[in-house]
Amino acid sequence: MHACDKVALVTGAASGIGQALAVAYAQAGVAVVGGYLPGAPHDPAATSAKVEAAGGQCLMLPVDVTRAEQVEECASRAVAHFGRLDYAVANAGLLRQAALAEMSDAQWTEMIDVDLGGVMRVFRAAARHMADGGAMVAVSSIAGGVYGWEQHVHYSAAKAGVPGLCRAVAMELAPRGIRCNAVIPGLIETPQSLDPVNSLGPEGLSRAAAGIPLGRVGSAREIALLIRFLTSDDASYVTGQAVVADGGLTVRWPG
Ligand code: NAD
């Protein structure tokens, strides 16, 4: 066991926003238990190496967020290994393109199970193992969280559900001093958005940047720093909120 001041559980930690968050936590002296999806094309050792280079501690564990026992094991291992669990970040997510008329029930169910059910499983396990006074964050999206995105009804529905789930968790766990918030990222350059089949791809992201008031897409680190802020004591009076980080995209005047 390695005693630490604060310990965070982060799912989807082998890539993108989750990996950037593991590094951001390491830079703030927070130990990380990072979940990675077995079989996904992301090397969890890359996250461990970056965390160690930042002077932090990291335990990477195989966690499919559709598997309750794996999520539960991850939360209990956090306590067994580091002695406590303070923060839980439900970041893992799946993005698929599917036209409504062509969508199978299996496609719908898989998406809801990962992008909404996964959040519930992470928070449920955290509620069982987390110290009072902790904090939780889930990652929604401007797709569903604000906008409608054609060909992505299942993703949008799951992401729209995330802020509602967070509000209810915030109310239920407030008596324990545990806060719960959602972040709503705009267009962020990660493996997910760089996928030209299911998302915008590199060219789509460059085109979209022109319509973003800040003139660019966001980085994984910019979302990671927002999440780190929301779990930190600097956000001690913030709970039940959904915070948009999108370079001004969703408040742009439609003229
Ligand atoms: P990403 O693809 O790099 O990260 C998603 C991670 O989730 C991957 O590591 C993947 O292996 C993991 N994952 C997928 N299914 C899983 C499962 N069943 N169990 C456990 N892990 C699983 O992309 P990202 O952009 O860093 O995504 C992080 C979160 O941000 C996701 O929830 C995504 O929907 C959300 N998001 C991203 C953007 C964007 O523009 N990139 C915008 C809004 C929201």
Side-chain angles (χ1 to χ4, degrees):
M1 190 210 277
H2 311 264
C4 283
D5 284 351
K6 298 285 184 194
V7 179
L9 188 167
V10 179
T11 57
S15 64
I17 294 167
Q19 183 181 76
L21 180 60
V23 173
Y25 274 138
Q27 290 166 337
V30 176
V32 174
V33 176
Y36 66 92
L37 180 64
H42 307 297
D43 180 7
T47 299
S48 305
K50 288 182 179 189
V51 165
E52 277 158 30
Q57 296 186 67
C58 174
L59 176 68
M60 294 295 286
L61 298 173
V63 181
D64 179 338
V65 296
T66 67
R67 304 281 300 274
E69 76 284 0
Q70 291 183 13
V71 178
E72 180 69 24
E73 164 84 3
C74 186
S76 65
R77 285 278 299 277
V79 177
H81 190 80
F82 288 118
R84 52 189 297 125
L85 178 61
D86 303 280
Y87 309 142
V89 181
N91 163 75
L94 176 70
L95 175 63
R96 292 280 182 266
Q97 184 187 49
L100 177 61
E102 315 300 329
M103 190 186 300
S104 67
D105 276 21
Q107 285 175 303
W108 167 265
T109 302
E110 179 189 33
M111 182 66 66
I112 301 298
D113 204 22
V114 175
D115 284 15
L116 188 56
V119 176
M120 181 283 293
R121 289 183 199 93
V122 170
F123 287 175
R124 180 177 62 191
R128 292 171 179 162
H129 296 278
M130 183 179 272
D132 287 0
M136 303 179 178
V137 169
V139 183
S140 174
S141 171
I142 57 168
V146 180
Y147 288 135
W149 193 11
E150 68 275 14
Q151 315 275 316
H152 293 84
V153 164
H154 48 357
Y155 181 78
S156 302
K159 292 299 189 182
V162 168
L165 188 159
C166 289
R167 286 182 205 110
V169 170
M171 293 305 98
E172 188 163 329
L173 299 185
R176 290 177 53 192
I178 295 174
R179 299 177 298 101
C180 182
N181 294 289
V183 296
I184 302 186
L187 301 177
I188 311 302
E189 188 172 328
T190 68
Q192 184 184 88
S193 60
L194 288 168
D195 172 356
V197 175
N198 297 296
S199 188
L200 277 68
E203 288 169 18
L205 281 178
S206 318
R207 268 197 307 277
I212 297 171
L214 286 182
R216 61 178 178 82
V217 300
S219 69
R221 181 163 173 84
E222 287 176 306
I223 302 305
L225 292 177
L226 173 60
I227 296 170
R228 191 181 73 180
F229 163 72
L230 286 171
T231 54
S232 78
D233 288 347
D234 288 347
S236 57
Y237 205 52
V238 183
T239 196
Q241 299 303 307
V243 183
V244 178
D246 68 347
L249 181 59
T250 57
V251 296
R252 193 185 52 185
W253 186 254

